[in-house]
Amino acid sequence: MEFDPAGADLSLAALFTGWALADELQRRLSTDGFADSRFADGVVFQHLIAGPTTITTLAERLGVTQQAASKTVADLQRRGYVTRRTDPTDARAKQVALADRGTAIITAARHHRAAVDAELRNALGNNRVEDARQLLLDTLT
């Protein structure tokens, strides 16, 4: 039996819709020159927007080991999204900060999320999109 999305319960509908929206965002970022970006990169970026942080703190925020955080940071650095430097208050620690490319992808992602939101509101109506958004947020509480 083939799955019919119209029969999905709320959790599956939200999940599939989230995946579709994330895929569309990734497609648009790719056309902007960020084809090497991954959905998971954005999770790390959210912890760097406020400013540099140590790998130890980043690992705690992500709920991973320092080794896993270091590996992730090394990959992001290799792709030009973050920089690493010695912590000015502790020479043993390394700080991670967004590089110009990291800031650029955040700016592009914000632009594209706003564009997708506007497109949905235009196609489906402002009230329907706002009601759906609020319903999803209400399920978090």
Side-chain angles (χ1 to χ4, degrees):
M1 176 187 269
E2 191 171 311
F3 175 73
D4 178 9
D9 61 30
L10 179 61
S11 65
L12 286 178
L15 179 67
F16 295 153
T17 301
W19 283 345
L21 292 171
D23 286 348
E24 178 60 17
L25 178 62
Q26 288 300 125
R27 187 192 67 72
R28 291 179 188 208
L29 288 172
S30 183
T31 65
D32 285 348
F34 301 107
D36 64 341
S37 69
R38 300 181 192 112
F39 178 81
D41 297 342
V43 176
V44 177
F45 296 156
Q46 293 307 310
H47 296 287
L48 301 175
I49 289 173
T53 189
T54 64
I55 290 179
T56 300
T57 300
L58 183 61
E60 290 170 0
R61 290 178 183 166
L62 293 171
V64 300
T65 65
Q66 268 188 266
Q67 182 180 8
S70 291
K71 184 177 178 181
T72 298
V73 167
D75 178 55
L76 288 169
Q77 184 177 22
R78 180 187 57 75
R79 291 185 283 137
Y81 291 109
V82 302
T83 60
R84 276 192 284 194
R85 63 178 181 233
T86 302
D87 186 328
T89 62
D90 182 355
R92 298 167 297 161
K94 297 290 183 196
Q95 279 190 340
V96 183
L98 289 168
D100 290 344
R101 183 168 168 77
T103 301
I105 194 171
I106 290 168
T107 300
R110 287 175 176 167
H111 167 78
H112 290 306
R113 280 196 310 275
V116 167
D117 184 79
E119 291 163 18
L120 288 171
R121 289 172 189 273
N122 185 50
L124 302 173
N126 188 59
N127 289 342
R128 287 182 69 200
V129 173
E130 187 56 33
D131 288 347
R133 189 187 75 78
Q134 193 58 57
L135 172 69
L136 292 171
L137 291 174
D138 288 348
T139 66
L140 296 174
T141 58

